[in-house]
Amino acid sequence: MHRSPSRRTLLTATAAAAALAATGAGEVFAAGPAHPPGHSPGHHPVDRKRLRRLISGMSLREKVGQLFVMRVYGHSATDPDPADAAANRKEIGVSTAAELISEYHVGGIIYFAWAHNVRDPHQIADLSNGIQRAGLAQPTPVPLLVSTDQEHGLVARVGAPATLLPGAMALGADGSREDARKAAFLSGSELAAMGIRQDYAPVADVNVNPANPVIGVRSFGADPQSVARLVAAQVRGYQSARVAATAKHFPGHGDTQTDSHTGLPVITHSEEEWQRLDAPPFRAAIAAGVDSIMTAHLVVPALDPAEDPATLSRPILTGILRERLGYDGVVVTDALDMAGVRQKYGDDRVPVLALKAGVDQLLNPPDFRLAYNAVLAAVESGEISEERIDVSLLRILELKQRRGLFDEPYVTHAGVDRTVGVPPHLRAAQRIADRTTTLLLNRRTGGRRRTLPLDHRGRSDLLVVGADPAAPSATGGPPTAVLARTLTELGFTATALSTGITPTRELIDRAVTAATGRDAVVVATYNVSATSPQRTLVSELVATGVPVVHLAIRNPYDIARLDGVAASLASYSWTDGEMRAAARVIAGRAGPTGRLPVPVPDADDPAQVLYPIGHGLSY
């Protein structure tokens, strides 16, 4: 049974303020309005002098622990399922999140679905409250930063009934700074209601490489200035909702063909190209007051001739980010269990080198105890000064104070019910999604009218086939079923047939047979490659003579490898909201107002552009 915190429990929120008050720090909360003039509603006043006094009373072990943001298995901070407790003991030497906090004084916890942290909004709120109770029960009571990757679109750790919004490239197709800001504000409001106060979003990478395997639709687009405007809008949206935004991945992950989860990418941009292509979104985020910036595990020889990963590069993090760009907020590593940061140095050296490079928060090391003890030993040996640790700790505590965690560390079920997945949020999310679908191609059929929009009075019998990847948030879908259901609701007779990302010969034959005699076929594709059997599926559907409407449900580049389709659209994601939006465009219930935020090059000659940035047809 889940219970909201009692009045007694909520009153213990004052423990953190009491720790500050003991050093004179509590005065900041008693003076002046809650939100002084010039501050956003999500911005609480910060008093560095008093925070320094708090730091002066902390032990070295407490200080080092505050630098770590760690994963932990389980739905509860004190009573996880036995399998999760066992996983915790195996990986971090303790059974629960509360024990991790008590033993090591970690400053943050990151939530993952695979770690069983995010079952439902009330459970998430209870987990967050349990984490905060453990933080405030320490000898030096300090609230924790609970974080997650809630980018939306392709990457969303918290699924329905929370509101799911269009991802970055879909918002780039929309092009509206106000929609981007509102999406971030809605998302941030719901995260904050569940106790998640640091979001690793927005993505500030400029996706100039169509072959990028890890960013793609997670980016707002390929134009640095457009990306910069939307990044700044989302920073303001999240932070006005009391959630720390995180611009990632510095110095830019948009031009790589290597996934830093599995390898070490090398960015070959010159310094001038970096200034022109990669830097603008990070400059915009800094100008917007971004709370944190995440590093990238990649090499940029033009920025650091030593070719250290940026996460471990002092020339990049201190020389460029701190000194040249003037950023004095929190710098957080990308996850330290990723291959890109582990190839050159051992897991014991990585966290030490990251701190020496200019990092503040160390995210999810593969061996937490090894990493923690390595940092502790580095300070005790003099390799890293305690004063250097204090600098990072002050930034982290400022962030926590600025976002109100010292004032209001706890959340309630009532707050969840008022905020998470409420109808006004769901309607706003769908309205934004309806403005993102892009129409790339719309041929005339039979020498008469354009293929789209389909007329349910003349072309009512539809087959919906294609890729059915799992929903990004593990809720909703499959996309072909959502498309077919929505089209049926709009007056068509639509049948779904999932053929998958790699359709077999048998499935292709079934689709061709099912298409015969239909009025039109809608085929969803997912990142079509030169050798993908999805190409065979589409070409054989086209050969039936039935008009084929193509929908790219992830990267918008698929049309370059497909011939003969009657119409082509891009949705940039396959969440239920995006599928409903695409169906409404296909049916003519909404106009295709999205515009390409990236160019689509010719598959055989990438120097030739088939569809430029800004392309998009209308009805």
Side-chain angles (χ1 to χ4, degrees), residues 31 75 80 327-328 362 367 377 398 412 423 469 504 516:
H75 71 286
Y327 181 63
D328 194 37
L362 300 163
D367 187 331
E398 284 179 347
T412 66
T504 62
T516 303

Side-chain angles (χ1 to χ4, degrees), residues 325-371:
L325 300 187
Y327 181 63
D328 194 37
V330 169
V331 174
V332 56
T333 70
D334 205 345
L336 295 180
D337 61 349
M338 294 166 59
V341 78
R342 302 176 69 189
Q343 292 191 355
K344 191 172 181 179
Y345 303 98
D347 290 339
D348 60 332
R349 294 300 296 161
V350 165
V352 174
L353 294 174
L355 290 170
K356 293 174 74 172
V359 159
D360 302 303
Q361 286 185 310
L362 300 163
L363 176 62
N364 203 32
D367 187 331
F368 170 72
R369 287 170 292 180
L370 177 69

